[in-house]
Amino acid sequence: MAGRRAALKAVDWLAFAERVPPNQRSKFNALKTRSDAIAAKLATLPETPAAIDWSYYRSAVAKPGLVDEFEKKFKALKIPEPVDTQATIISAQEADANESAKAYIEASNARIASYEKKLEKFKNMIPFEQMTMEEYYDAFPETKLDKVKNPYWPHKPIADL
Amino acid sequence: MLSRLVLLSASSLKGSGPIGAGVVQATRCLRTSSQSLAPVPPLPEEGGKVRHGIFPEEFFQLLYPKTGVTGPYMLGTGLLCYLLSKEIYIVNHETIYALTIGGIIVYCVKKFGPGFAEFADKIYEEQLAKAEAAKESSISILAKSIEAEKKEQWRVEGRGLLFDAKRNNVAMLLETNMRERLHMVTNEVKRRLDYQIALQNLHRRMQQEHMINWVEKSVVSSITPQQEKESIAKCIADLKALAKTSQAQAAA
């Protein structure tokens, strides 16, 4: 029984709460209340039940062999431990979560790389005072006027003016 | 036109560096011809300096070593006299038109020039400010996005805590269940033993009561009428004696 107790890992609820994104906060609160309820229930139960005073019963009960028989059977009784059905499920969930987390982190890193590249481009741009229009079109390709598609001035559809 | 020509020739002659202000932060476009891959210098801010609005300063500097300060003016006056006296340039009506219109143009430029230049500069400044603002906002948005992505990654790192909490819950539930079973067993055994004891007590009490009732009944039934009369007479005699003693006590 003491060995079961050590299986409980101390969960730092504060650190956990920090890491929860705002859109999952309600789920986190539900989890916390449930965990607290379970812990409270566990705390109310004493670890071992009160011992039975066999000598008193032996002196009190008239039937001669009854108490001895009860005592023998009681001491021989082995209560089976409840079976843990959720462990595999939780491990499977954890593996899934790790997978998706890895994929997410990879995608996130790719996004960070693209952002950094754009940031580099902006940081290394020459100041606008020194730019010619050609250099401006090079720096912001989306502003370049397509003279092949719209050969006549103003080189863009009238609606876009 | 003259000034631009001289300027180009001057720059190509002297191979001057950037005339404009400001430090080049990064590589500008490079010349793409195979002969030179040097970076293109930035465009100059101001045009070439001119004297009297038309004549470039470089001309005066050119003649300064040989003829001093008045050289170019003497050249100009002499040239004008030569043109007029030799009738290479003929004075006619168009000269008057040219002079008046030239005067008007000079007057207008001198009067409205600065105002117009300010107006144009303001427009330019606004465009510049807009472009700068766009660039700044882009930079800040990118930096914030990078921050947000890093924060999300930090959040993801905490996923282990969730599973720790789940496992804890499961362990606690199992432990609670186990304890409940133990308690139930003990309580049941105790209840049975207590039942036995209660049963015994009940038996004894019933036996006691029954015996008392039986004894009472037999005693009452054994009292014969003769014994009853005798006992009543004795009681009356006792009472009389008691009354006498109590009277005597009250009198005394």
Side-chain angles (χ1 to χ4, degrees):
Chain A
M1 228 147 324
R4 305 288 306 293
R5 222 26 169 97
L8 280 177
K9 211 156 117 181
V11 172
D12 186 1
W13 288 102
L14 285 175
F16 194 3
E18 273 179 3
R19 297 208 193 223
V20 168
N23 59 347
Q24 292 177 1
R25 195 142 274 279
S26 61
K27 282 203 249 180
F28 169 74
N29 286 340
L31 175 70
K32 183 147 200 294
T33 43
R34 241 179 323 132
S35 303
D36 287 344
I38 293 176
K41 186 137 177 279
L42 181 66
T44 55
L45 288 174
E47 189 158 341
T48 48
I52 301 180
D53 193 358
W54 292 108
S55 46
Y56 164 69
Y57 283 116
R58 223 189 304 272
S59 57
V61 175
K63 278 213 195 109
L66 188 78
V67 174
D68 290 331
E69 204 180 316
F70 271 35
E71 191 178 355
K72 201 165 50 141
K73 286 209 179 122
F74 182 73
K75 289 221 162 65
L77 183 65
K78 275 228 164 311
I79 301 174
E81 288 186 356
V83 177
D84 188 357
T85 53
Q86 301 294 321
T88 45
I89 297 178
I90 294 183
S91 302
Q93 281 180 352
E94 191 170 10
D96 276 344
N98 283 344
E99 282 290 317
S100 68
K102 212 162 40 170
Y104 179 78
I105 287 183
E106 269 180 30
S108 176
N109 280 338
R111 277 196 291 267
I112 287 185
S114 80
Y115 291 154
E116 297 244 324
K117 215 156 45 129
K118 287 191 191 144
L119 202 61
E120 280 305 303
K121 183 191 108 173
F122 272 113
K123 287 220 161 82
N124 291 348
M125 235 165 39
I126 47 182
F128 288 108
E129 291 93 356
Q130 293 177 16
M131 263 196 208
T132 63
M133 284 313 282
E134 239 185 45
E135 282 161 1
Y136 179 72
Y137 294 143
D138 281 342
F140 302 99
E142 61 268 12
T143 52
K144 193 162 164 98
L145 296 169
D146 192 353
K147 297 219 169 129
V148 171
K149 206 164 100 171
N150 309 305
Y152 301 113
W153 185 85
H155 304 293
K156 52 170 128 168
I158 303 283
D160 285 352
L161 272 176
Chain B
M1 190 181 70
L2 275 168
S3 60
R4 254 182 285 146
L5 265 174
V6 177
L7 177 64
L8 280 170
S9 58
S11 1
S12 60
L13 273 175
K14 294 179 191 158
S16 55
I19 304 173
V23 179
V24 176
Q25 279 179 352
T27 55
R28 301 168 55 96
C29 28
L30 309 175
R31 300 185 172 117
T32 46
S33 73
S34 52
Q35 285 180 337
S36 123
L37 290 170
V40 172
L43 294 174
E45 186 85 9
E46 305 270 326
K49 291 189 74 45
V50 284
R51 246 195 242 200
H52 307 295
I54 326 174
F55 306 109
E57 188 67 31
E58 283 81 5
F59 182 63
F60 290 82
Q61 299 303 324
L62 195 66
L63 295 178
Y64 180 75
K66 290 285 192 257
T67 55
V69 183
T70 48
Y73 294 103
M74 296 313 298
L75 177 61
T77 317
L79 201 61
L80 194 61
C81 289
Y82 167 69
L83 288 175
L84 284 169
S85 67
K86 288 287 203 168
E87 300 233 328
I88 297 173
Y89 177 71
I90 305 167
V91 177
N92 52 10
H93 303 286
E94 274 149 22
T95 313
I96 314 288
Y97 302 156
L99 284 173
T100 37
I101 291 178
I104 292 173
I105 287 176
V106 168
Y107 171 75
C108 286
V109 167
K110 278 222 149 37
K111 192 145 150 100
F112 303 116
F116 185 75
E118 248 180 59
F119 172 69
D121 279 343
K122 198 150 67 82
I123 291 183
Y124 172 67
E125 292 291 322
E126 274 171 20
Q127 283 181 342
L128 213 59
K130 228 170 31 175
E132 275 293 335
K135 178 173 158 189
E136 286 299 313
S137 80
S138 294
I139 287 182
S140 72
I141 285 177
L142 283 172
K144 267 208 282 263
S145 311
I146 292 181
E147 278 288 320
E149 288 287 329
K150 292 217 166 87
K151 184 136 198 252
E152 287 301 310
Q153 284 194 3
W154 174 77
R155 279 199 213 271
V156 164
E157 276 170 26
R159 66 190 178 276
L161 289 168
L162 169 65
F163 295 105
D164 283 343
K166 280 196 178 186
R167 288 209 189 89
N168 272 6
N169 281 2
V170 167
M172 282 198 284
L173 281 172
L174 291 174
E175 179 74 17
T176 313
N177 196 324
M178 182 67 184
R179 284 188 197 174
E180 271 175 7
R181 289 182 188 184
L182 289 170
H183 286 280
M184 191 179 77
V185 163
T186 316
N187 286 349
E188 286 296 307
V189 169
K190 224 187 222 148
R191 259 184 44 196
R192 273 152 183 70
L193 288 171
D194 287 341
Y195 168 75
Q196 289 295 325
I197 293 182
L199 196 65
Q200 279 169 215
N201 289 350
L202 179 70
H203 263 282
R204 183 164 296 150
R205 214 183 47 206
M206 286 192 70
Q207 282 171 349
Q208 276 180 339
E209 280 186 11
H210 182 255
M211 198 174 289
I212 288 172
N213 283 349
W214 187 78
V215 167
E216 265 186 36
K217 213 168 33 179
S218 67
V219 165
V220 165
S221 61
S222 75
I223 299 178
T224 58
Q226 174 62 20
Q227 274 185 322
E228 209 171 324
K229 245 197 253 173
E230 273 182 24
S231 59
I232 288 180
K234 185 132 194 314
C235 287
I236 294 176
D238 280 335
L239 274 171
K240 279 202 184 129
L242 266 171
K244 259 203 221 124
T245 51
S246 68
Q247 267 186 348
Q249 272 187 352

